[in-house]
Each structure stands twice: as C-alpha cells, then as structure tokens.
Amino acid sequence: MGVSIDDGACGTWQRVPEEVIGRFDGLPGAAYEVPDEVTCALESGHPDKHMAVLQGWGNREAWLVWSTPATVTAPGCRAEGLTCLLSAGHAGRHHVIMADVVEDEGPYWCDSRADLEMQRART
C-alpha cells in the first residue's frame, strides 16, 4: 500500500473536455499524452482559478485553467422580514426587492429595514 504525500499542492481535479484533448493530443513534438482529468498544480489555498499542464512541445506548454463551480442549499434570507435575494447567513448587505407594493420595487442594497426605508424615502 502506497503512502500519500501532501506536497502542498491544491489537487482539485477537473475533467478535461474531449475537444481540448483532441486539440492537444498528438501535436508534433508533443511531450505528453493529454489526460482525461487533471489536478490543480497551484499551492493549496490559492485564490482564483485552478490550473494544470495539459501538453508541452518545444518550449511551449498548454494549461487547462478553470474555476470550481459549487452549489449550496440554504433558505433565502428573510432578516427583519425583508425579501432579500440572497441566501440566509450571507455576508454583507441585503439585496432587497419590495414585492408587497403595487409594482415590484428595487432591488435595493441595504444594511437593515431602517436603511431600506431611508433609501425609499429619498426617491
């Protein structure tokens, strides 16, 4: 049984699209066989997009760059009875739409119901 060594790399995996494999597999002077999936080679905890090398030829390399989509299941934010368009527990201000008026108003960015009322009073 092999020992897994944590080398500090991110390691987030991504499937390589077939069209990308077809474009870079078999290039003249290609150094590698393009894999079906790759893992991110950047340092663990890096910001932004992931990246992994796909192919090398001559003094050039092709890299796959991707971001990680994620889904979260959470109730909608209803702080102070507001109809916030974000999930419960979100960071920052509320993004509120006024759906209990004749025509929908907003959305407004506000810190609280009082802040929302002040914004509505100015219009």
Side-chain angles (χ1 to χ4, degrees):
M1 185 165 139
V3 176
S4 176
I5 298 173
D6 179 4
D7 65 359
C10 172
T12 300
W13 74 275
Q14 176 66 41
R15 186 167 305 284
V16 179
E18 288 294 327
E19 64 272 11
V20 172
I21 293 172
R23 192 167 10 145
F24 292 104
D25 214 14
L27 283 174
Y32 318 112
E33 180 178 327
V34 178
D36 292 338
E37 50 188 53
V38 293
T39 58
C40 178
L42 297 174
E43 185 175 12
S44 182
H46 66 86
D48 268 349
K49 299 178 188 277
H50 301 287
M51 56 189 318
V53 69
L54 292 175
Q55 188 57 278
W57 66 101
N59 63 353
R60 301 183 69 187
E61 291 180 326
W63 294 77
L64 183 67
V65 179
W66 74 97
S67 56
T68 304
T71 59
V72 175
T73 302
C77 176
R78 296 297 177 262
E80 298 186 52
L82 298 171
T83 304
C84 178
L85 301 173
L86 304 173
S87 65
H90 65 82
R93 297 186 301 164
H94 300 291
H95 201 197
V96 176
I97 190 162
M98 300 299 296
D100 59 347
V101 292
V102 176
E103 290 185 37
D104 288 355
E105 279 183 35
Y108 299 93
W109 286 102
C110 63
D111 292 314
S112 63
R113 180 171 287 283
D115 182 25
L116 173 64
E117 294 306 328
M118 284 185 358
Q119 289 185 47
R120 290 183 70 214
R122 283 187 240 144
T123 57

